[in-house]
Amino acid sequence: MQITDSIRTLKGVGEKVEQNLNKLGIYTIEDLMEFYPRTYVTYEEPIHLEDIIVGKRQAVFGWLQKSPSRIPGGKVEKTIAVLNEADKKLQLIWYRMPYLRKQLITGKNYIFHGVVKEKNGQWIMEQPEIYDLDNYRVIQSKIIPVYSLTEGVRQKLLAKLTRQIIDQNTLFHDYLPEDLRIELELAEYNYALEQIHYPKDWEMLKIARKRLAFDEFFLFALAIQRLKTTKESTNSSHIIKSKMWADSFLKSLSYRLTNAQLKSWNEIYEDLTSEKVMNRLLQGDVGSGKTVIAQLALLTIVESGYQGCLMVPTEVLAKQHYDSFVNDFKFLSKIIGHDIRIGLLTGSLSVKEKKEIYKALSSHEIDILIGTHAVIQDKVEFSNLGLVITDEQHRFGVNQREWLLDKGVSPHVLVMSATPIPRTLAIILYGDLDISVIDELPASRKPIKNCVVGTSYRPAAYNFVQNQVKNGRQIYIICPMVEESEFMDLENVIDYTDKLKKILPSNIRIEYLHGKMKNKEKEMIMERYYNKDIDVLVSTTVIEVGINVPNATVMMVENSERFGLAQLHQLRGRVGRGKEQSYCIFMQSSDSEKAKKRLNILVESNDGFYIASEDLKLRGPGDMFGIKQSGLIDFHIADLYQDSDLLKLAGECAKRYESHIPSDLLRRIERYMQLSENDIIL
Ligand code: ADP
Ligand code: MG
């Protein structure tokens, strides 16, 4: 067996299974082995019904008094069994598994494993796993991998296939140069793969993870290195001589820049007037006012006769920036006597609309282009691109760099980010990147008031929401899911909106927003929210980054324990943007102490970097791959904060291979680059 073989060569993988695995990006043996578990679980001591805690995953002793019954109809067919013990009752429900009625034997003792929920005053456990007592003892001693799934791919399938490969005992070639591996005391590749899927114990898992995390950083560093040109000190062909427009624009603002904003703007202006190409990261926590700095830089570039481009991660954000730029520049246009021409380019434009934008760009009828990654498609040709700014993208990705090289232009580059990028990463990404920091919020801001509460607080929260709406304010409510799921008892946007409409008075305008909606619909909802035609917006995390509605004063997050702290911090950043006092309500649906402690970090601090690092300290080994710090910098297995030493090491080691890369490693780098091709936001 070769590691590059198709998964079709495995037993049990036919056309259908192959297609399903493809959906997860698994095509080859290698893809499969590198589809690492999302997390790991161990199985608890089984308990009796009387010790059940609602909302928790647990193993319950069960004696089947009666054989299970089948309930046809409804959306899906159910098989139901009931456990009785003293005065306690637990209903077990399986979906689409009619064969269980034959398989489960009346009068026998089992252990059922799953989450106990309360529905209509009854305890239920959906899709419990079934064990007999002996099996359970065996499994209890193991660490069980949990994979991310898609339709048609179950845990068992992934476990079975990876097992099949490991059991064949084929040793794959370790592409990491052996001397390096030994020097760094990293586990051998095959061993690491086995232990990541089937860890013997936590210690081995840690060792395996370290090796694979190193690999990920190392390949990343090598890939960047290969793309890096001598760009760092490229002479600039876009030299700026005046900032008259920027100065007039500043005067037209209703506020004064903070000292930190002023300092950053000065640093950027200095770059623009120097003979070298700017390569700068502008880091500032949510709400610190990065957009206005981008506007100043873009205005200055346009004043000197060049074009600028602002790239953002979502369509919603692109549209918001577009609207606010058009509006903000109105006054300045009057002063300078002509329009500043702004274009919006997103994936959802029609072909015809796109063509018009392309044409206007190449003939320099657009001064500033705002858009999603659609702006770096091949067809986009600027007439004279002088500045590229990325907002909330955290890195100017591999592809973007390539795109610029293809175009043969060396515009100034400004990367704006609210995520505190560790310095180690910045160095790998940009070599000697310059960094400006906005470490101060506008003085007019009142600190956001936070609370962590249980679901019993909901009526009070709704009252509060109602009052805020009465005072003309707007509200965000975040749910983790879009629609109801059979398997997860989490709040979802659609049902939640229905519920809320029944609870709140009918004059309160409630709408929802989520990523699966059509772009036009999303835009419409956001537009109505900006225009205060919507009071309460129930949304998934699509509004996480960048959105700016200063009149919104309440952020309420349902199932907040399900989110990473950095992500919650981003969400919180959507309020507290205006003069009014803002509030953040973290609704917690489990009563776990640990979850509470985590969430309390957010209450204690409003400092993004502090929050990210404290979160880390609280995460135990079981959480190792658990909650991502931020959905934005997405390494597979490695974690930028937790593994920053490893990242630094990988960066240093990559340098040794600058002039010569062993061929095995080269294949891996090329594969890595291919895989990240579509990931503009890596
Ligand atoms: P972020 O850094 O999160 O991108 P924004 O640029 O969206 O923040 O700014 C948030 C809000 O703060 C905007 O409404 C903006 O107009 C306002 N703002 C920016 N700078 C200042 C300032 N110096 N004083 C008062 N308000 C400001
Ligand atoms: Mg922003």
Side-chain angles (χ1 to χ4, degrees), residues 582-624:
S582 285
Y583 305 87
C584 197
I585 304 168
F586 299 111
M587 196 59 82
Q588 192 192 355
S589 50
S590 83
D591 39 36
S592 133
E593 271 307 304
K594 202 172 148 202
K596 185 148 193 190
K597 213 165 149 195
R598 257 183 85 239
L599 291 172
N600 266 321
I601 295 174
L602 286 166
V603 177
E604 279 161 26
S605 169
N606 200 20
D607 171 342
F609 206 92
Y610 172 80
I611 289 166
S613 60
E614 283 301 297
D615 193 9
L616 260 182
K617 286 188 204 151
L618 276 182
R619 287 195 281 166
D623 270 347
M624 211 149 46

Side-chain angles (χ1 to χ4, degrees), residues 255-258 261 284-292 320-321 391-392 416 418 438 442-445 546-548 550 573-574 577-578:
Y255 54 82
R256 303 248 314 265
L257 291 190
T258 61
Q261 279 173 314
D285 213 338
V286 280
S288 61
K290 295 182 290 293
T291 315
V292 63
Q320 172 192 287
H321 276 324
D391 187 18
E392 308 284 5
M416 305 199 297
I438 309 183
S444 52
R445 299 277 166 76
I547 298 301
N548 184 36
R574 298 312 114 216
R577 300 185 147 244

